[in-house]
Amino acid sequence: MKKKILAYTFVGSFLNQQYVHSKLISNISKEFSEVIFIDLTFLIFKKNENNKKQKKNFFLPKTYNQLDFFLSKHEVISFISLGNEYEFFKVLRLLKKRDVKLIHNKSIGLNKQNKIFKLSGQLKKKLQFFIFRFLVFINYLPKIDLVFEGSKENISRINKQLGRKIDKIFPFLNIAYIKDIVHINCRAYDNYLNDLKKISEKFIVFLDGGFDHPDVQLHEKKQSSENRKKYYYYLKKILRKLSKMYNKKVIFCVHPKVNEKRIKNFFKGEKIKLVKFKTQNYILRAFMVVMHESSSTFDALILKKRIINFNSILMGKYYYNRNKFYPQRVKIPSYKMENYKDINRSDIDKYFKNKDNLYDDYLKNFVKNINSYKKIFFNKKIKSNYLKFDNLPGSIQIAKIIKKKFF
């Protein structure tokens, strides 16, 4: 009889995986006696980004035969962090062939409803997507067995998809891409549940967003040096003004995928601290969070921090549209960067008078119970509520559900 194992399959930097999903990785490692991390970076890209000696719980296949042999010897249930691009088809085919149960974690906390999150208009990407879905439909590539979703709205949208509607009427057809979906408390809920005593209002925190993000080049041409200079000129003006207005030090949280050396050149002589891989720590201690559009914005929302949005066409059409997402969904002040002189403290402060109910209409989609969340986070009533399943961190909910369903 094959041994059942829980795996975490990924491509790219494991440091990034730990940064984004640290609580999940920690809690599944506690819940299960053994978790195998399957690093496909060398197999897919012929390079090892993680530069570490192979640990006993890491499997780094160098050939597809090695991966196939490993999968054939175990009954694998795996988190999957792969795309639907052509380079992943061969791996996905092996996962299908060896009947690996696939789990997708979507606990970050984002409603992918806005048009800016739809499939790119590029013909190549559309064709690739339709080929992928066709291969899934004919059972050449695998479906996702279980999705953990941090957004109730996303679950509702997925349940309205044609495949799921057909499966509901004719379950024997089994044509839906996602077999099962479960709502859990979002990642930001996890990140801060055990650090509530450390909440403070010490800094103005800027979340590095779209200008030098690698995604820009996927959607439009490379940023020009002229626009880069203008962008950072306005950003410096904004951060200086807010710092002086509120008498707070500014922390610039560099995006994990951005080279901070490029940014440092624009902030020489400024009293602004640049940090990387410490965003959650500084959001916890933020008086105000300044952003364009970032998944870390949700960390500020869950803590009910003051949030200001800035946008500029200098960032390109893709990010200019994407940066409108939060101002359209959540009541926060928003400015064009070029109009930084219009920033007014009284205009900003009026948005944040009633912090008790701040963002509740949006947050209720991402926590199992909005009232319990508020009691736990802001009244510190953890003891009486914490042990109830709905109030547990999402990563613990995930671990317990996997154990019950597959082990």
Side-chain angles (χ1 to χ4, degrees):
M1 185 176 177
K2 294 180 182 179
K3 179 184 177 183
K4 278 189 178 184
I5 62 169
L6 180 65
Y8 188 103
T9 304
F10 69 98
V11 172
S13 167
F14 186 66
L15 181 62
N16 282 344
Q17 295 291 328
Q18 286 180 307
Y19 176 69
V20 176
H21 299 298
S22 60
K23 299 294 184 183
L24 174 65
I25 291 171
S26 173
N27 282 320
I28 60 174
S29 298
K30 290 176 184 176
E31 187 73 25
F32 294 86
S33 58
E34 184 180 31
V35 178
I36 303 296
F37 295 90
I38 303 176
D39 181 357
L40 302 178
T41 308
F42 185 85
L43 187 63
I44 300 294
F45 299 121
K46 304 304 177 187
K47 62 180 180 179
N48 183 6
E49 289 195 10
N50 297 302
N51 297 320
K52 59 170 71 176
K53 292 181 179 179
Q54 186 170 338
K55 297 181 180 179
K56 65 177 183 179
N57 63 331
F58 273 73
F59 174 50
L60 291 79
K62 298 296 177 66
T63 68
Y64 287 98
N65 285 338
Q66 284 183 2
L67 176 61
D68 189 33
F69 181 77
F70 176 85
L71 296 176
S72 71
K73 293 296 181 182
H74 303 91
E75 186 179 343
V76 181
I77 298 95
S78 181
F79 287 92
I80 187 170
S81 182
L82 305 177
N84 55 31
E85 292 83 6
Y86 297 132
E87 58 261 35
F88 298 117
F89 282 13
K90 197 168 182 178
V91 168
L92 291 169
R93 176 58 188 161
L94 286 181
L95 296 176
K96 172 65 180 177
K97 174 185 170 184
R98 296 303 178 184
D99 195 28
V100 176
K101 303 300 180 187
L102 299 181
I103 301 167
H104 193 184
N105 172 33
K106 297 174 67 179
S107 63
I108 287 179
L110 186 66
N111 281 336
K112 295 186 178 180
Q113 181 176 313
N114 192 285
K115 64 181 179 180
I116 59 176
F117 294 104
K118 288 185 178 179
L119 183 67
S120 167
Q122 298 173 20
L123 180 60
K124 183 180 177 181
K125 288 183 71 68
K126 278 190 175 182
L127 180 62
Q128 186 172 258
F129 175 80
F130 287 120
I131 291 173
F132 169 79
R133 291 308 291 264
F134 174 73
L135 293 176
V136 170
F137 178 75
I138 63 174
N139 287 319
Y140 183 81
L141 297 182
K143 297 179 174 69
I144 301 297
D145 292 274
L146 179 59
V147 169
F148 291 104
E149 174 61 73
S151 165
K152 294 175 186 175
E153 287 186 16
N154 283 351
I155 291 174
S156 177
R157 193 191 73 255
I158 291 169
N159 283 333
K160 291 177 182 177
Q161 291 176 352
L162 181 61
R164 293 185 71 79
K165 287 182 177 180
I166 293 173
D167 277 0
K168 200 169 183 180
I169 301 170
F170 307 107
F172 59 89
L173 291 177
N174 191 27
I175 64 171
Y177 177 54
I178 296 170
K179 294 182 181 180
D180 193 13
I181 186 166
V182 177
H183 179 241
I184 44 93
N185 286 321
C186 64
R187 186 190 66 176
Y189 183 100
D190 281 35
N191 288 344
Y192 301 106
L193 192 58
N194 295 318
D195 292 324
L196 299 178
K197 292 181 180 179
K198 298 179 184 177
I199 293 177
S200 66
E201 296 190 336
K202 189 174 181 180
F203 303 110
I204 290 173
V205 176
F206 174 70
L207 304 181
D208 186 22
F211 195 87
D212 279 310
H213 194 289
D215 281 0
V216 171
Q217 294 184 52
L218 295 176
H219 298 277
E220 52 192 311
K221 62 183 181 181
K222 189 177 180 181
Q223 299 284 24
S224 69
S225 57
E226 182 182 355
N227 279 2
R228 182 173 285 105
K229 287 179 182 178
K230 289 180 180 179
Y231 169 80
Y232 283 109
Y233 169 81
Y234 289 125
L235 184 58
K236 280 193 293 186
K237 291 285 188 182
I238 289 164
L239 296 179
R240 276 184 201 158
K241 185 166 185 175
L242 291 172
S243 178
K244 185 176 181 180
M245 188 181 292
Y246 290 100
N247 192 27
K248 301 284 183 183
K249 184 177 179 179
V250 174
I251 306 295
F252 189 121
C253 293
V254 181
H255 192 281
K257 293 184 179 180
V258 172
N259 186 346
E260 62 267 39
K261 290 181 182 179
R262 169 176 271 176
I263 298 173
K264 282 181 180 179
N265 294 329
F266 291 99
F267 287 91
K268 287 180 179 178
E270 296 290 328
K271 294 180 180 179
I272 294 175
K273 182 178 180 179
L274 271 67
V275 301
K276 198 170 185 179
F277 299 116
K278 295 181 180 179
T279 301
Q280 293 168 3
N281 177 49
Y282 280 105
I283 289 177
L284 188 70
R285 297 185 287 159
F287 167 78
M288 176 181 291
V289 172
V290 181
M291 46 72 76
H292 302 302
E293 193 284 325
S294 164
S295 60
S296 293
T297 301
F298 198 82
D299 292 49
L301 289 168
I302 205 82
L303 293 171
K304 299 199 173 187
K305 297 291 185 176
R306 300 167 182 85
I307 301 173
I308 302 182
N309 169 265
F310 286 93
N311 203 357
S312 174
I313 198 63
L314 292 170
M315 301 174 75
K317 290 182 179 179
Y318 171 74
Y319 267 96
Y320 181 72
N321 288 323
R322 181 166 175 154
N323 294 343
K324 296 175 183 178
F325 178 75
Y326 278 113
Q328 288 173 348
R329 292 302 311 274
V330 187
K331 193 175 181 181
I332 56 173
S334 180
Y335 296 88
K336 287 186 178 179
M337 294 181 72
E338 294 83 348
N339 297 338
Y340 69 91
K341 291 182 180 179
D342 294 339
I343 300 172
N344 184 286
R345 178 167 178 167
S346 61
D347 290 340
I348 294 172
D349 289 349
K350 70 182 181 183
Y351 281 87
F352 308 109
K353 287 181 179 179
N354 181 11
K355 291 191 72 176
D356 288 345
N357 298 315
L358 196 61
Y359 316 133
D360 278 3
D361 284 344
Y362 188 68
L363 290 172
K364 66 185 180 183
N365 293 298
F366 303 98
V367 293
K368 297 283 286 183
N369 187 311
I370 188 73
N371 292 323
S372 291
Y373 142 74
K374 290 168 73 172
K375 287 177 183 177
I376 292 171
F377 268 64
F378 306 107
N379 298 331
K380 309 298 188 293
K381 292 183 179 179
I382 295 179
K383 289 182 180 179
S384 60
N385 292 285
Y386 190 78
L387 294 178
K388 295 178 181 178
F389 186 82
D390 280 359
N391 300 331
L392 290 174
S395 57
I396 293 179
Q397 292 174 332
I398 288 172
K400 290 184 178 297
I401 290 170
I402 290 173
K403 191 168 238 183
K404 184 177 180 181
K405 186 176 180 69
F406 296 110
F407 289 85

